[in-house]
């Protein structure tokens, strides 16, 4: 894609520079595009072939641009995309018009070596599916599912998140199918439900009226299958619904509805079926399920509680409850048995099922502890009932209230936990709700004049539609302004509070609010392509990814439950033996118990008070809230790894152009040394530079256009033998003269003498933080251009704040030493590395790491990508290139340097919360287990009844989730608020 110009994007500094948009056009390795005038829906149209070439000799984006132009000159080319980083060119063409050999020759004619790598296919690429997994209770469950999936051949990555109850699986569809993945999860003992499958594939469900029989549905299905871009079709005859998956950049729901309604003489009608089968539905279903279980459990438990702990102290009622039915079996004991049984075996069935599935797979989870504890209490009580029935003098205490109350309190805890966990993902829910329900679709004639408008469901918007956005309305989809001007509030997407001015050609983001003025917007991205969808996906992936510190909890969870069971049995046996050997006085035993029952209560309390759930929730809930808060602040953090590394950062390496500087160079000085006119001088310079995608080249071309009369019809001389010299400049043959435009090193490498006057102008420009560009014709320097790229207004303050945080700042740039040192002085940076190639930047990062620094790299271009990957934390400027954003761990959507401090501060706060959560979880277990085992009983006679222990266990999970939720109150550092106020005053 490098070297290609997109709607709203242009290649700058070796990469894609956004014109006000958040995220770049996604990569589509095998998209079928059609020339103007042809319809993708035409059946029988010639198939487009995609071929990939290995291209050797490319050094920068200018090379990619020249190759792309050479290929596109050929007839029959549909699309050409060149990847300079991977030395590849992907070409889509009509085989009846052009062939591989001609394409290869065109590449070689452009001055590069090319070799065909064969036809490209998506069939070998990895697919991603997201699955909701119901029934997981603790980190042992999630670890078991994750291990099971990762052991499957064809699965590259499997991540299971306990907090969201979801799995993200990267797999090769040629080796393993989606159904096999689902079966593997079922075999582990859990219920999987598909959320999404495939990348850049959208899914829609349509409700169709007018279906009379199976033949009608078949006719509709056949009509839809003819459409290009339709992936799969599933029909549901019983409810007259049809589900389609499709590529949103080729077709969309409106086309589906039009096709359906034009089929069968217009007797069918179709609408989008509002069926939310996603997270919201699953979460609400889980909340409702626990609520119902809790209500039923309380309905049976309350009578048990009353008959055992309340009514026994009311004289008249006590007498009735103590009436004997058979031998020593009383009415009260029978009531407790009858009411506790449904709680134990019907309401508590989920614990039996969970424990069985876990043990069958060879691990123990929270369900095992609950099942053991409640069964011990219940079946001992049944034994008491049996003894009472067959004995006329037996006196024993039952624990029916222990088992039923224990289950009720655990269900209460799970219900509150599910409610709290739902709030941790509110950031995603808010983002997903930003898109408006409806949009105004404009109809246009061939000349682009508006001839009508109608309101449609926003889900029916398709690529290249033109929509109308009135003041106060939300923008329905990503696109660029084709008419009108206004200010758009983008704070809900980027976190930027100030409205952004929008005129013709500017990009707008779906979900943002138009404040004043009417805009006509041409849609460029819909569905999974949209910026909003990409942000949601990024945040979702971040919440799926485990922080390294989570491994600590995973290791503990493997042994936690078995150790607790051993401690519980040891507690029961110790107290039982101590009672039999009379090692403690009989006065310690409550009147309603014997030594065996006292020991049993201690053992059950230990078993149910231990809580691996809290340990498993400590990290993921904090990461979920932290990444969600970051998204609302305009900082996209790609998971727990990034958070954990960011909080340790003590050295930041900055790129210069577009990072510390504004990134929009301007020509400020033109000096010509011979009698050539300014117009003739720029004729030569622009003829060479117009082929380059470098920001300085673009600045020179733009300057020449603005100073050339009748620029609309002006044509520049043709440049032959164009060559881009990476990091130095360009050279070409223009009007039979050899021209070079570049830095001093380019001239010296070609043995061109630089005059004293030219040296002085270069030195003066560099002292003023300007970049000096030399121009030579036929081996003689004929002029010097000075290009200025000013420092960002907030750069100096941000560097100062970082210094106060004891974080070292370093600048690494490919620019010359003079300009680099001048910019560094203005910003307050002491350490500078100039004239650095991309690999040099990565090497510098590694050197700093070897010195013990935790390094963050901040950049925006393709040339920053190696360093972004090499750094402990890569931070990409949001208006930078797609490759830089892909390589980074953190994306700063507003392109403001102050967000670097926000990201680091948020990471520190989140990691502090994780530590606090671990203190809650571990500290609770370390303190609670000895208390439950009776360590305080000899001295204080204090003991925890099992039902109280169960309530405490439930409270521990809730406390950890609530602790994480406190992160939602995060505020940016006060220094940044002051900095923002200064910026507003300056403006």
């Amino acid at each position: 894609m490098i070297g290609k110009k997109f709607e709203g994007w242009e290649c700058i500094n070796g990469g894609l520079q956004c014109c006000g948009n958040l995220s770049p056009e996604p990569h589509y390795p095998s998209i079928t595009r059609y020339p103007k005038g042809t319809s993708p829906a035409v059946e029988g149209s010639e198939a487009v072939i995609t071929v990939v070439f290995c291209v050797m000799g490319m050094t920068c984006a200018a090379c990619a641009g020249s190759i792309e132009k050479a290929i596109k000159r050929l007839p029959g080319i549909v699309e050409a995309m060149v990847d300079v980083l991977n030395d590849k060119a992907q070409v889509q063409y009509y085989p009846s018009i052009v062939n591989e050999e001609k394409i290869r020759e065109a590449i070689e004619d452009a001055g590069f070596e090319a070799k065909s790598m064969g036809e490209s296919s998506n069939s070998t690429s990895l697919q991603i599916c997201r699955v909701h997994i119901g029934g997981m209770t603790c980190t042992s469950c999630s670890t078991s599912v994750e291990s099971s999936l990762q052991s499957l051949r064809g699965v590259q990555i499997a991540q299971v998140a306990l907090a969201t109850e979801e799995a993200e699986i990267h797999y090769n569809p040629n080796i393993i199918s989606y159904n096999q993945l689902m079966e593997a999860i079922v075999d582990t003992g859990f219920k999987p439900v598909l959320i999404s499958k495939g990348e850049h594939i959208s899914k829609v469900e349509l409700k169709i009226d007018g279906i009379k029989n199976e033949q009608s549905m078949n006719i509709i299905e056949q009509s839809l299958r003819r459409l290009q871009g339709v992936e799969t079709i599933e029909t549901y005859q019983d409810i007259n619904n049809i589900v389609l998956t499709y590529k949103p950049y080729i077709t969309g729901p409106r086309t589906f509805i039009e096709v359906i309604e034009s089929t069968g003489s217009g007797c069918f009608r179709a609408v989008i079926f509002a069926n939310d089968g996603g997270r919201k539905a699953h979460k609400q279903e889980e909340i409702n399920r626990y609520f119902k279980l809790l209500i039923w459990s309380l309905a049976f438990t309350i009578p048990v509680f009353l008959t055992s702990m309340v009514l026994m102290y009311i004289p008249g009622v006590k007498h009735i409850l103590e009436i004997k039915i058979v031998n020593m079996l009383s009415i009260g004991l029978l009531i407790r048995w009858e009411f506790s049984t449904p709680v134990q075996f019907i309401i508590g069935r989920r614990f039996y099922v969970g424990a069985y599935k876990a043990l069958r797979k060879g691990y123990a989870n929270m369900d095992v502890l609950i099942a053991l504890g409640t069964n011990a209490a219940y079946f001992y009580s049944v034994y008491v009932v049996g003894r009472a029935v067959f004995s006329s003098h037996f006196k024993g205490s039952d624990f029916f209230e222990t088992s039923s109350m224990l289950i009720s309190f655990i269900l209460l805890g799970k219900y509150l936990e599910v409610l709290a966990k739902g709030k941790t993902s509110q950031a995603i829910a808010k983002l997903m709700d930003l898109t408006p329900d409806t949009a105004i679709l404009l109809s246009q004639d061939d000349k682009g004049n508006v001839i009508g408008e109608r309101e449609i469901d926003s889900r029916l918007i398709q690529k290249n539609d033109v929509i109308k956005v009135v003041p106060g309305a939300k923008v329905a989809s990503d696109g660029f302004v084709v008419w009108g001007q206004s200010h758009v509030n983008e704070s809900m997407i980027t976190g930027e509070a100030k409205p952004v001015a929008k005129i013709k050609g500017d990009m707008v983001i779906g979900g943002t609010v138009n404040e004043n003025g009417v805009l006509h917007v041409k849609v460029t991205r819909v569905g999974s392509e949209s910026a909003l969808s990409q942000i949601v996906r990024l945040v979702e992936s971040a919440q799926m990814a485990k922080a390294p510190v989570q491994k600590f909890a995973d290791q503990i969870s493997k042994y936690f439950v078995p150790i607790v069971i051993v401690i519980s049995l040891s507690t029961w046996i110790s107290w039982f033996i101590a009672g039999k050997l009379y090692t403690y006085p009989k006065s310690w035993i409550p009147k309603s118990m014997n030594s065996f029952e006292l020991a049993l209560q201690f053992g059950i309390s230990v078993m149910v008070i231990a809580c691996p759930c809290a340990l498993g929730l400590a990290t993921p809930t904090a990461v979920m809230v932290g990444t969600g808060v970051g998204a609302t602040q305009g900082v996209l953090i790609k998971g727990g790894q990034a958070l954990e590394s960011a909080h340790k950062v003590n050295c930041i390496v900055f790129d210069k152009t577009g990072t510390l500087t504004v990134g929009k160079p301007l020509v400020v000085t033109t000096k010509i040394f011979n009698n050539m006119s300014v117009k003739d001088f720029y004729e030569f310079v622009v003829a060479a530079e117009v082929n380059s995608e470098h920001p300085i080249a673009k600045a020179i071309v733009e300057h020449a256009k603005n100073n050339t009369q009748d620029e609309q019809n002006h044509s520049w001389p043709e440049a032959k033998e164009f060559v881009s010299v990476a990091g130095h400049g360009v050279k070409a043959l223009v009007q039979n003269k050899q021209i070079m435009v570049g830095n001093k090193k380019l001239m010296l490498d070609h043995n061109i003498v630089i005059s004293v006057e030219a040296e002085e102008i270069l030195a003066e420009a560099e002292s003023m933080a300007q970049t000096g560009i030399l121009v030579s014709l036929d081996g003689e320097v004929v002029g010097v251009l000075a290009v200025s790229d000013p420092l960002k207004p907030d750069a100096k303050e941000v560097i100062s704040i970082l210094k106060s945080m004891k974080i070292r700042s370093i600048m690494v740039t490919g620019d010359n030493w003079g300009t680099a040192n001048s910019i560094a002085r203005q910003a307050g940076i002491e350490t500078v590395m100039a004239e650095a190639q991309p690999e040099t930047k990565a090497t510098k990062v590694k050197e700093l790491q070897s010195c013990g620094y935790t390094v963050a790299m901040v950049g925006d271009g393709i040339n920053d990508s190696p360093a972004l990957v090499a750094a402990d934390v890569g931070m990409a400027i949001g208006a930078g290139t797609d490759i830089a954003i892909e390589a980074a761990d953190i994306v700063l959507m507003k392109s403001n340097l102050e967000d670097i401090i926000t990201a680091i501060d948020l990471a520190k706060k989140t990691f502090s919360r994780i530590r606090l959560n671990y203190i809650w979880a571990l500290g609770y277990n370390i303190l609670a287990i000895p208390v439950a085992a009776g360590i305080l009983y000899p001295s204080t006679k204090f003991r925890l009844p099992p039902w109280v222990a169960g309530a405490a266990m439930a409270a521990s999970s809730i406390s950890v989730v609530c602790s994480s939720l406190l992160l939602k109150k995060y505020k940016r550092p006060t220094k940044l608020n002051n900095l923002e106020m200064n910026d507003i005053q300056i403006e």
Side-chain angles (χ1 to χ4, degrees), residues 791-808:
L791 191 71
K792 284 183 177 177
D794 59 347
K796 186 174 182 180
E797 284 293 331
V798 167
I799 299 300
S800 175
I801 293 171
L802 289 172
K803 193 176 292 184
S804 69
M805 295 168 65
K806 298 186 176 3
I807 296 175
R808 183 184 179 188

Side-chain angles (χ1 to χ4, degrees), residues 655-677:
D655 173 49
K656 180 180 78 69
T657 306
T659 303
L660 286 172
T661 63
V662 174
K664 293 182 180 178
L666 298 171
V667 177
V668 292
T669 304
T670 303
K671 180 66 177 176
I672 303 172
F673 298 134
N674 57 18
N675 295 326
M676 184 184 297
S677 68

Side-chain angles (χ1 to χ4, degrees), residues 295-318:
I295 294 300
W296 279 106
S297 183
L298 289 174
F300 287 96
T301 299
I302 288 173
V304 177
F305 170 75
L306 292 175
T307 55
S308 63
M309 297 189 176
V310 178
L311 300 179
M312 295 301 292
Y313 298 98
I314 301 175
V317 179
K318 179 182 178 183

Side-chain angles (χ1 to χ4, degrees), residues 406-435:
L406 187 55
I407 288 173
S408 294
F409 273 109
I410 289 168
L411 289 174
L412 173 62
K414 293 299 291 183
Y415 173 68
L416 295 175
E417 182 185 320
V418 169
L419 284 176
K421 279 163 61 179
K423 294 180 180 179
T424 62
S425 57
Q426 279 182 350
I428 289 181
K430 287 179 180 177
L431 285 171
M432 295 177 74
D433 289 341
L434 286 178
T435 307

Side-chain angles (χ1 to χ4, degrees), residues 239-430:
I239 57 174
N240 293 340
N241 278 21
I242 189 164
V243 178
L244 302 97
T245 60
Y246 62 95
K247 296 177 179 177
Y249 45 87
I250 296 177
T251 187
R254 198 168 74 252
T255 301
F256 304 151
I257 292 174
E258 289 170 357
V259 168
I260 291 170
E261 294 185 349
S262 63
T263 303
S265 303
C267 60
F268 303 123
R269 290 289 177 267
V271 294
I272 291 182
F273 186 61
N275 179 23
D276 182 11
R279 294 164 190 75
K280 191 182 292 184
H282 290 305
K283 186 59 65 179
Q284 191 58 47
E285 181 185 344
E286 186 180 27
I287 290 171
N288 293 340
R289 184 173 70 252
Y290 274 114
F291 181 74
K292 288 178 182 177
L293 285 172
L294 175 62
I295 294 300
W296 279 106
S297 183
L298 289 174
F300 287 96
T301 299
I302 288 173
V304 177
F305 170 75
L306 292 175
T307 55
S308 63
M309 297 189 176
V310 178
L311 300 179
M312 295 301 292
Y313 298 98
I314 301 175
V317 179
K318 179 182 178 183
H319 177 72
I320 295 172
L321 293 175
E322 289 180 345
I323 295 174
K324 303 298 186 291
I325 302 172
V326 178
N327 288 330
M328 298 300 291
L329 178 63
S330 65
I331 292 177
L333 180 58
L334 183 61
I335 290 173
R336 289 193 291 276
W337 184 26
E338 288 176 343
F339 277 90
S340 63
T341 300
V343 177
Q344 184 70 31
F345 297 108
I346 299 176
I347 297 168
R349 179 178 178 273
R350 64 175 303 279
F351 301 117
Y352 285 96
V353 173
Y356 168 72
K357 290 178 178 178
L359 293 173
R360 191 184 65 175
K361 288 295 178 180
Y363 71 97
N365 61 5
M366 193 66 209
D367 291 332
V368 174
L369 293 179
I370 296 169
L372 285 174
T374 56
N375 276 329
Y378 178 83
F379 284 107
Y380 175 75
S381 301
V382 171
Y383 163 78
V384 170
V385 171
R387 287 289 305 274
V389 169
F390 296 103
S391 173
S392 58
H393 55 80
F394 173 78
K395 289 184 179 181
S397 299
D398 64 277
F399 294 144
F400 285 124
E401 83 286 349
T402 295
S403 65
S404 56
M405 289 176 69
L406 187 55
I407 288 173
S408 294
F409 273 109
I410 289 168
L411 289 174
L412 173 62
K414 293 299 291 183
Y415 173 68
L416 295 175
E417 182 185 320
V418 169
L419 284 176
K421 279 163 61 179
K423 294 180 180 179
T424 62
S425 57
Q426 279 182 350
I428 289 181
K430 287 179 180 177

Side-chain angles (χ1 to χ4, degrees), residues 813-863:
T813 177
D815 211 337
N816 62 73
W817 280 97
T819 303
N821 284 325
S822 179
I823 289 290
R825 281 196 301 273
Q826 292 180 38
I829 295 175
E830 297 173 358
T831 308
V832 180
M833 175 180 282
E835 298 178 5
Q837 298 298 318
E839 60 273 13
T840 312
K841 294 181 181 181
T843 302
K844 180 62 177 177
V845 168
K846 291 174 183 176
E847 287 176 3
L848 291 165
Q849 289 170 329
S850 65
C851 295
Y853 286 103
T854 300
V855 182
M857 171 70 195
V858 185
D860 72 324
I862 290 176
N863 56 342

